[in-house]
Structure formats: C-alpha cells, structure tokens
Amino acid sequence: MDKNEYLLNNEGGSTKAGARVCAAKRWRVLAAGLVLAVGGIWLLLHQMLGRSGNSTDEYALGALKSDKVQVELFVMSRCPDAIKVETVFNSVVRELYPILDIQLNFIAKPNPNATYGAECKHGDDECRGNIDELCALAHGGDLPLFWRFLNCLNSHSGDIGSDPDLSLKCASSAGLDTEAFISCALQAEGRELFRQSVENAQFAGVNTSATVFIDGHLRCVEDGGWRDCLGGHSASDFIRDICAAYKGSRSRPSICAEYPPVV
C-alpha cells in the first residue's frame, strides 16, 4: 500500500466497513462461550486487584505491561488541552524514554454506525487523527520517534485528521516506517487500536481530555487549567515522579540523580 493509495482512501474519510454476520450457529455458540470466558478472566483480575473499573483514582491495566513506568494520556487528538499536556511531556520523553512506556487512550463515544466506530468530540477528523497517532505509536520503532511525529502533527493542529498528507509528511520526517504506518491507518489494525483505546478510557472512567495516569493512578488533569495535580504539573514534576516510580532492573537515566527519593 503506497502513499497515493493512502491519500485516495482518506479523501473525504474512509468508507464504513460492512457488517459481518456469522451464518453458522456453531460459531455463534463459540463466540458466546468466548465472551463468557473473557468476562470470567476480567472478573478474576478485577477481584484480585481490588479495583473498580469505574474508578478514576486507579486503573488496573496500566501497571500490568512491563517493568517500565506506565504513563497513560487520556486525550483527543484535536484538543488544545491534550496538546498542552503533550508539549509538557516533550522533555519527559527526551530524558526518560528508556524507562518509560506511554499509552494513548482516546476519549470518544462508541457508536458502531459512526464512520470510525465512535463519535469524537471534534468530529470525524479527530477520529482520523486519533487513528493516525495510534498507528504511529504502534509502528514508531521507539518512543522518541513517535514523539517527533506527534510534535509535527501538533504544530499543525488545525489540520490533524483533515489533511492526510500532513500525517504522511510527519511520519516520514520523524523516521517512521511509512509503509507500516499507512497499512495500519487504512486497514482494520488502526480501527482496532482506536476501539481498544476508547474502551480503555471508558474502563478507567475518564472522560476529560487531558488526563494523566502514572502506573495506574490519577496524576493530573488539564481542562482549561490544571487540577488534581498533587506534586505539580511541570515537566520536572513529572520527571521526579516517574524516576521515583521506576522499579525496573535497568540503570536509571542520569537525570534521576537530580531527584533523590523522598524519605
């Protein structure tokens, strides 16, 4: 899939995927059994962790991925508050990326009849931008490369999602694998990443862009002004807290020495 196909497919938005119906009864029974099994696993995890899926204070999924510190940004790609938070994180990513994982969870309302499977506050262009960002993160190679892509998009925030050429230019200038990015953005992978990110936001009970979680805990909210930011909201504040949260085996970035643990 090449650049021209990406531009053509995004001219005026992607077409809706056709509904697929299982004709065989045995597949319906199998699917129902799978849903029950997954539900049982979720319930078991829910009980073991002692957390509520509707709590905005703790989010069970964030701390289960790796020994890196998990930072989750609950955002919207065309939201000024989200862009403000992402700008604050420029130096955080630059200094701490070896011990840092960042996950984007997009705030939207699921709707199977919507163009992208959800209704975004700032329209379909925002949904398209959300998918592009998720695909860039999935195929960015490393976090700094993705962050260069994100900064490129944010510097043209009014065109996010509405100008497919912008996403391609940003992917190329950031050094992303553009072929993998295009394939993800146009095919089922991108929509599935978007669906999962929206589900993550709903599971966490977060509906405000932008909200920051660190290792599953609410850390800060920017919503026309900072709030619920115990410990501050500057880049240095986030660096300090991420350094303190890191319990992995690899060496800490040198900047962590400037923030000794609080006794």
Side-chain angles (χ1 to χ4, degrees):
M1 189 169 299
D2 59 18
K3 171 180 175 180
N4 291 332
E5 187 174 353
Y6 174 81
L7 296 175
L8 179 63
N9 276 274
N10 279 284
E11 197 72 34
S14 301
T15 58
K16 299 180 181 178
R20 296 178 179 177
V21 180
C22 294
K25 182 176 180 180
R26 63 180 179 274
W27 289 111
R28 291 199 299 270
V29 173
L30 179 61
L34 181 60
V35 169
L36 289 174
V38 172
I41 293 170
W42 181 91
L43 181 59
L44 177 61
L45 285 172
H46 176 81
Q47 292 172 341
M48 290 174 62
L49 292 168
R51 293 173 174 175
S52 169
N54 292 323
S55 171
T56 58
D57 292 326
E58 294 190 69
Y59 178 41
L61 297 182
L64 299 179
K65 293 182 179 178
S66 73
D67 66 351
K68 293 184 178 182
V69 179
Q70 306 296 314
V71 172
E72 296 170 276
L73 303 181
F74 297 83
V75 291
M76 306 172 186
S77 61
R78 293 174 66 96
C79 172
D81 293 316
I83 293 171
K84 182 177 179 178
V85 168
E86 290 160 358
T87 300
V88 170
F89 265 81
N90 284 340
S91 58
V92 178
V93 170
R94 183 175 64 249
E95 299 289 353
L96 299 182
Y97 73 89
I99 65 169
L100 180 64
D101 272 338
I102 288 186
Q103 177 175 316
L104 300 179
N105 294 324
F106 286 104
I107 298 170
K109 180 181 179 181
N111 180 352
N113 297 317
T115 303
Y116 297 103
E119 298 173 14
C120 296
K121 181 176 180 180
H122 302 98
D124 280 351
D125 287 345
E126 180 166 78
C127 291
R128 176 73 262 167
N130 295 347
I131 291 173
D132 286 351
E133 291 184 10
L134 288 166
C135 287
L137 181 60
H139 297 282
D142 63 27
L143 190 54
L145 288 183
F146 165 71
W147 217 256
R148 285 200 287 273
F149 169 86
L150 186 61
N151 279 329
C152 177
L153 277 192
N154 287 347
S155 67
H156 304 279
S157 59
D159 295 325
I160 292 176
S162 63
D163 180 4
D165 195 49
L166 171 63
S167 292
L168 280 172
K169 287 178 179 177
C170 290
S172 179
S173 65
L176 271 61
D177 181 339
T178 54
E179 183 175 349
F181 167 75
I182 291 171
S183 178
C184 173
L186 286 183
Q187 299 186 38
E189 181 186 3
R191 292 175 185 245
E192 175 59 21
L193 289 171
F194 180 42
R195 183 195 65 78
Q196 185 61 60
S197 79
V198 172
E199 285 188 2
N200 289 343
Q202 291 194 315
F203 182 82
V206 177
N207 53 26
T208 299
S209 174
T211 298
V212 180
F213 277 29
I214 295 180
D215 274 351
H217 297 263
L218 174 65
R219 175 57 180 80
C220 200
V221 178
E222 162 58 37
D223 183 22
W226 297 98
R227 61 178 173 84
D228 299 325
C229 300
L230 184 64
H233 52 76
S234 70
S236 294
D237 294 325
F238 290 121
I239 289 173
R240 178 198 64 231
D241 288 359
I242 292 168
C243 286
Y246 180 63
K247 309 299 181 187
S249 58
R250 70 181 67 196
S251 298
R252 293 169 180 264
S254 59
I255 196 171
C256 289
E258 301 176 20
Y259 301 93
V262 178
V263 180

